[in-house]
């Protein structure tokens, strides 16, 4: 018996020849009451019926809606093949293929099997069907105007065996402005503190991550939620502080030298460039970076690295699939991550994470392998990659606003896996429930031609008093309170006091004073007191007196006459400054040209002593 065809150009007769007699009889019962019994006659009879336009149309009309959609999807699929997972994601169910045995094989095929053979529609039958079968509509994604207010969770009392439903409010974080402030804040921090990083992995130290977390607008994502369990806190770790150094390295803004990060020339220029422009370039560069596979951050899934074996696929292809799907989403609308995951499958934006799922495992390589049926499904593997990509990189860069709960509070979809009994979550990103493409994201994704910043949302949750006290109402969000902590000292549960020194420290670390003022104005219950507004305006004027022109080299000159000669040379005077009688200052950006001119003058400087 011949093997079934594997190309979409094969005619129906080749598929029929590959079937056993019992399958042919099962197919024939849908075409008439007295089919022939010999295989050759059965093949000829089915072939005749399925190439007759009238007969095919009558049989088509007897198919149910899902079966008709299955034919249409296969008929117009780019690869000409029926995709069960994509169909299930789009229509919410499988079509009826007929009666199955306990082993899963078809024993009595439905009429659908007359149209689709080996996941394809035969070429001659396809030509006939396209005369009356319409192309299916594209997959659509559901969205909403606002994020959900709370997640309903069920608590089980193990002693009384009773259940109680509770409402868990979602943390909603708008990232567009925060990311632009964070970009400059982290660059400034690296410029000053030279954060330590591994020469091998390019990852920063734990101390470096804590230092970065302190300068971020609103802190790290989960900082806005109370984490009572230290095991949960340890399992979450850092998100934004982990991502920023890698993003900046991949964008060429930061480089590793001597075990520490330092700004490149491009990084120096980024401090003077509108941050949204830098973020778009960083986002584009991240799509092709090889510093990190985001799936490596799914710590509980082991076996990702194996000697002599490439377990994971190249992440660039996965990123492309996600970006293409994001570009099809409506901007400014909230989308469930489960819905986005479903849409990606339904719309054909599928991707693979592992070359061989048997290599990946949870807890134990043998019992917990993701190669077992149902263990390595899309919602376990691909969705975890998707969540990591969205939460740690798209949200950190400010392209999407996010709504989330703690990962251990998120609905569990991994509890049936082997070896997860003691796990409270499968990944630190499990808490991400919804996202919204904001104005910055729409521009970076090519949905809009230009970037128009989103206006800060006014919420009267703070009362700024003339004595410098700031009183927060119960409606203030954790993010509001974290922002206050950037420039004010907490004096009681609901009261902060403006701290001039802390305010200046925040500005030194990259926080723009204008952003702090805009935050107070947007959150204040009325205009700022006159004396507070005047103090802030005076601070702004003082800040304008000093401008950071970047790092420079300080040269000591033994002879003050030589220092004067160099400083007043027609070629060199625009590249250096005389500092006292014995010193010259050369900006880092001018160093190359200054050295060249200095050599032409007959001088040079060697290594620092």
């Amino acid at each position: 018996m011949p093997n079934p065809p594997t190309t979409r150009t094969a005619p129906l007769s080749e598929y029929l020849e590959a079937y056993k007699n019992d399958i042919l009889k099962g197919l024939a019962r849908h075409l008439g009451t007295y089919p022939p019994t010999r295989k050759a006659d059965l093949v000829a009879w089915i072939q005749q019926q399925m190439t007759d336009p009238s007969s095919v149309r009558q049989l088509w009309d007897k198919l149910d809606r899902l079966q008709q959609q299955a034919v249409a999807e296969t008929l117009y699929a780019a690869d000409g093949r029926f995709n069960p997972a994509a169909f299930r994601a789009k229509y919410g169910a499988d079509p009826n293929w007929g009666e199955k045995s306990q082993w899963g094989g078809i024993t009595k095929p439905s009429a659908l099997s007359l149209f689709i053979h080996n996941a394809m529609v035969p070429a001659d039958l396809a030509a006939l069907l396209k005369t009356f079968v319409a192309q299916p509509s594209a997959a659509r994604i559901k969205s909403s105007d606002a994020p959900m207010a709370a997640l309903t969770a069920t608590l089980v009392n193990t002693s009384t065996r009773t259940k109680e439903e509770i409402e868990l409010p979602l943390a909603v974080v708008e990232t567009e402005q925060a990311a632009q402030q964070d970009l400059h804040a982290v660059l400034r921090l690296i410029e000053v503190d030279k954060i330590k990083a591994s020469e091998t992995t390019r990852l920063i130290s734990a101390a470096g991550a804590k230092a970065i977390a302190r300068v971020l607008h609103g802190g790290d994502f989960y900082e806005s939620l109370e984490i009572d369990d230290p095991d949960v806190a340890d399992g979450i770790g850092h998100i934004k502080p982990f991502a920023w150094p890698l993003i900046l390295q991949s964008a060429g803004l930061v480089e590793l030298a001597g075990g520490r990060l330092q700004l490149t020339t491009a990084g120096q220029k980024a401090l003077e460039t509108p941050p949204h422009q830098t973020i778009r370039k960083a986002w584009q560069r991240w799509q092709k970076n090889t510093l990190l596979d985001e799936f490596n951050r799914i710590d509980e899934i082991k076996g990702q690295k194996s000697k002599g074996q490439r377990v994971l696929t190249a992440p660039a292809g996965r990123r492309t699939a996600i970006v293409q799907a994001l570009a099809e989403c409506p901007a400014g609308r909230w989308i469930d991550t489960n819905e986005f995951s479903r849409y990606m499958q339904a719309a054909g934006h599928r991707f693979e994470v592992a070359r061989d799922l048997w290599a990946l495992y949870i807890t134990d390589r043998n019992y917990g392998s993701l190669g077992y049926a149902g263990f390595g499904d899309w919602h376990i593997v691909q969705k975890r990659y998707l969540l990591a990509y969205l939460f740690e990189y798209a949200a950190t860069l400010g392209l999407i606003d996010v709504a989330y709960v703690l990962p251990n509070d998120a609905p569990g979809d991994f509890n049936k896996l082997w070896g997860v009994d003691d796990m409270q979550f499968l990944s630190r990103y499990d808490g991400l429930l919804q996202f919204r493409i904001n104005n910055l994201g729409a521009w970076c994704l090519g949905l809009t031609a230009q970037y128009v910043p989103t206006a800060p949302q006014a919420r009267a949750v703070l009362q700024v008093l003339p004595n410098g006290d700031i009183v927060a109402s119960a409606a203030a969000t954790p993010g509001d309170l974290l922002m206050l902590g950037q420039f004010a000292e907490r004096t009681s549960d609901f009261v902060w006091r403006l701290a001039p020194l802390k305010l200046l420290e925040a500005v030194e670390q990259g926080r723009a004073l204008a952003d702090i003022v805009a935050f107070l104005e947007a959150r204040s219950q009325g205009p700022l007191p006159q004396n507070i507004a005047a103090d802030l305006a005076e601070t702004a004027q003082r800040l304008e007196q000093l401008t950071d022109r970047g790092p420079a080299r300080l040269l000591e000159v033994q002879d003050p006459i030589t220092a004067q000669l160099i400083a007043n040379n027609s070629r060199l005077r625009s590249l250096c400054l005389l500092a006292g009688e014995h010193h010259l200052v050369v900006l880092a950006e001018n160093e190359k040209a200054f050295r060249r001119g200095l050599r032409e003058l007959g001088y040079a400087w060697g290594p620092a002593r």
Side-chain angles (χ1 to χ4, degrees):
M1 184 175 65
N3 293 322
T6 57
T7 63
R8 62 193 300 183
T9 57
L12 175 62
S13 58
E14 291 188 19
Y15 292 94
L16 297 176
E17 291 288 351
Y19 288 131
K20 292 182 178 179
N21 227 32
D22 56 341
I23 297 297
L24 290 170
K25 289 178 180 178
L27 294 173
R29 68 186 176 89
H30 298 290
L31 297 172
T33 54
Y34 300 103
T37 56
R38 291 178 63 250
K39 179 174 180 176
D41 296 335
L42 271 172
V43 169
W45 191 69
I46 296 173
Q47 172 77 18
Q48 179 185 6
Q49 296 288 321
M50 294 305 295
T51 52
D52 177 70
S54 176
S55 174
V56 171
R57 184 57 191 260
Q58 289 178 10
L59 190 62
W60 163 264
D61 290 338
K62 292 179 182 179
L63 297 178
D64 62 33
R65 186 187 68 86
L66 276 181
Q67 289 175 323
Q68 289 183 347
Q69 294 291 358
V71 175
E73 291 287 348
T74 310
L75 196 62
Y76 292 99
D79 61 355
R81 302 187 67 85
F82 177 77
N83 187 315
F87 187 88
R88 194 179 305 116
K90 185 173 182 178
Y91 297 98
D94 294 315
N96 178 17
W97 294 95
E99 295 182 18
K100 297 181 180 180
S101 69
Q102 59 178 331
W103 313 111
I106 301 293
T107 55
K108 291 184 178 180
S110 69
L112 177 60
S113 297
L114 283 165
F115 293 88
I116 300 177
H117 304 263
N118 197 26
M120 293 177 286
V121 178
D124 46 355
L125 180 57
L128 193 159
L129 288 170
K130 284 185 176 180
T131 61
F132 64 87
V133 175
Q135 189 165 345
S137 59
R140 295 182 179 181
I141 189 165
K142 299 175 183 177
S143 61
S144 57
D145 291 330
M148 41 179 190
L151 173 70
T152 301
T154 302
L155 292 181
V156 180
N157 189 318
T158 54
S159 58
T160 62
R161 296 186 179 180
T162 57
K163 295 181 179 180
E164 177 189 1
E165 287 193 347
I166 62 171
E167 297 291 318
L168 296 173
L170 272 67
V172 179
V173 175
E174 297 176 353
T175 67
E176 180 181 338
Q177 297 302 324
Q180 296 181 61
Q181 295 173 31
D182 290 347
L183 169 68
H184 282 178
V186 177
L187 286 173
R188 291 291 187 194
L189 178 66
I190 291 173
E191 181 183 39
V192 174
D193 284 359
K194 302 293 190 296
I195 301 294
K196 289 183 179 180
S198 166
E199 294 280 4
T200 304
T201 65
R202 312 277 284 277
L203 304 181
I204 62 171
S205 63
K210 290 180 180 178
I212 289 176
R214 286 194 291 269
V215 305
L216 297 178
H217 177 89
D220 205 354
F221 287 119
Y222 286 122
E223 281 186 47
S224 61
L225 299 173
E226 293 184 7
I227 306 177
D228 299 326
D229 190 336
D231 290 337
V232 172
D234 290 342
I236 292 175
H238 292 292
I239 294 182
K240 286 198 284 186
F242 178 90
W244 270 118
L246 291 172
I247 291 170
L248 298 178
Q249 288 180 77
S250 75
L253 305 177
V254 166
E255 62 186 0
L256 191 59
R260 292 179 179 272
L261 296 177
Q262 64 180 22
L263 298 191
T264 62
T265 302
Q268 290 289 341
K269 291 180 180 178
L271 289 170
E272 307 300 327
T273 303
H276 65 276
Q277 296 179 8
T278 304
I279 282 177
R280 183 166 73 163
K281 291 178 181 178
W283 169 253
Q284 293 168 344
R285 291 287 293 273
W286 182 259
Q287 308 314 311
K288 299 179 181 179
N289 95 85
T290 56
L291 290 176
L292 177 83
D293 185 331
E294 296 90 344
F295 195 73
N296 295 157
R297 294 279 283 157
I298 315 299
D299 306 317
E300 298 293 355
I301 297 182
K302 314 297 183 183
Q304 297 183 31
K305 296 180 180 179
S306 179
K307 292 182 179 179
Q309 180 185 4
R310 294 181 62 191
V311 177
L312 303 181
T313 61
R318 298 180 234 143
R319 297 169 187 148
T320 298
I322 297 172
V323 168
Q324 289 174 344
L326 284 173
E328 295 170 4
C329 293
R333 304 272 299 175
W334 287 95
I335 299 169
D336 289 349
T337 50
N338 283 334
E339 169 65 7
F340 184 63
S341 177
R342 180 205 67 81
Y343 174 77
M344 286 198 66
Q345 298 176 77
H349 298 300
R350 292 179 61 84
F351 59 85
E352 297 298 333
V353 170
R355 289 179 167 82
D356 181 8
L357 284 173
W358 285 101
L360 301 180
Y361 64 93
I362 295 174
T363 307
D364 184 271
R365 188 181 299 274
N366 295 315
Y367 294 104
S369 172
L370 298 187
Y372 291 113
F375 275 40
D377 288 347
W378 174 281
H379 73 280
I380 296 295
V381 180
Q382 284 92 331
K383 184 190 169 189
R384 257 58 194 195
Y385 177 82
L386 178 64
L387 292 176
Y389 181 85
L390 291 176
F391 209 177
E392 195 158 80
Y393 299 94
T396 293
L397 278 167
L399 276 67
I400 58 172
D401 302 327
V402 287
Y404 53 89
V405 294
L406 289 174
N408 53 305
D409 289 333
D413 62 354
F414 62 95
N415 299 324
K416 294 182 179 180
L417 300 181
W418 190 94
V420 300
D421 295 346
D422 296 329
M423 293 182 189
Q424 298 193 60
F425 48 87
L426 189 56
S427 84
R428 58 177 59 83
Y429 316 103
D430 286 4
L432 179 61
L433 301 183
Q434 294 182 304
F435 69 90
R436 173 180 64 183
I437 299 173
N438 54 38
N439 286 9
L440 178 60
W443 181 62
C444 290
L445 292 167
L447 303 181
T448 56
Q450 59 184 8
Y451 172 55
V452 179
T454 303
Q457 183 182 5
R459 287 189 292 107
V461 296
L462 303 178
Q463 185 178 6
V464 184
L465 303 178
N467 66 353
D469 282 351
I470 302 173
V471 183
S473 72
T477 67
D480 293 333
L481 305 185
L482 284 169
M483 179 61 178
L484 269 178
Q486 298 284 324
F487 57 86
E489 298 286 355
R490 192 168 195 163
T491 57
S492 67
D493 288 346
F494 298 100
V495 180
W496 279 254
R497 178 177 287 275
L498 278 173
L501 290 179
K502 199 168 186 180
L503 180 66
L504 293 175
E505 287 176 0
V507 173
E508 285 179 344
Q509 293 171 346
R511 182 77 65 239
L513 180 61
D515 293 331
I516 293 174
V517 174
F519 168 78
L520 288 173
E521 291 176 341
R523 298 291 185 269
S524 178
Q525 298 173 4
L528 297 180
Q530 265 190 333
N531 64 314
I532 299 298
D535 288 345
L536 291 172
E538 184 181 344
T539 301
Q541 290 178 351
R542 289 199 301 268
L543 290 173
E544 290 177 356
Q545 299 302 311
L546 300 172
T547 302
D548 185 357
R549 295 303 185 191
R553 302 294 293 267
L554 179 65
L555 304 178
E556 183 178 5
V557 186
Q558 297 299 321
D559 181 7
I561 297 177
T562 303
Q564 287 284 348
L565 174 68
I566 295 172
N568 292 293
N569 179 266
S570 59
R571 182 167 182 179
L572 298 177
R573 63 189 175 199
S574 63
L575 303 175
C576 67
L577 294 172
L578 186 64
E581 293 185 348
H582 292 275
H583 293 88
L584 294 170
V585 177
V586 182
L587 290 175
E589 63 186 46
N590 295 333
E591 181 179 337
K592 188 175 181 181
F594 181 81
R595 282 181 179 274
R596 186 166 53 248
L598 198 62
R599 288 194 297 269
E600 292 178 358
L601 198 60
Y603 296 92
W605 87 71
R609 297 195 298 272

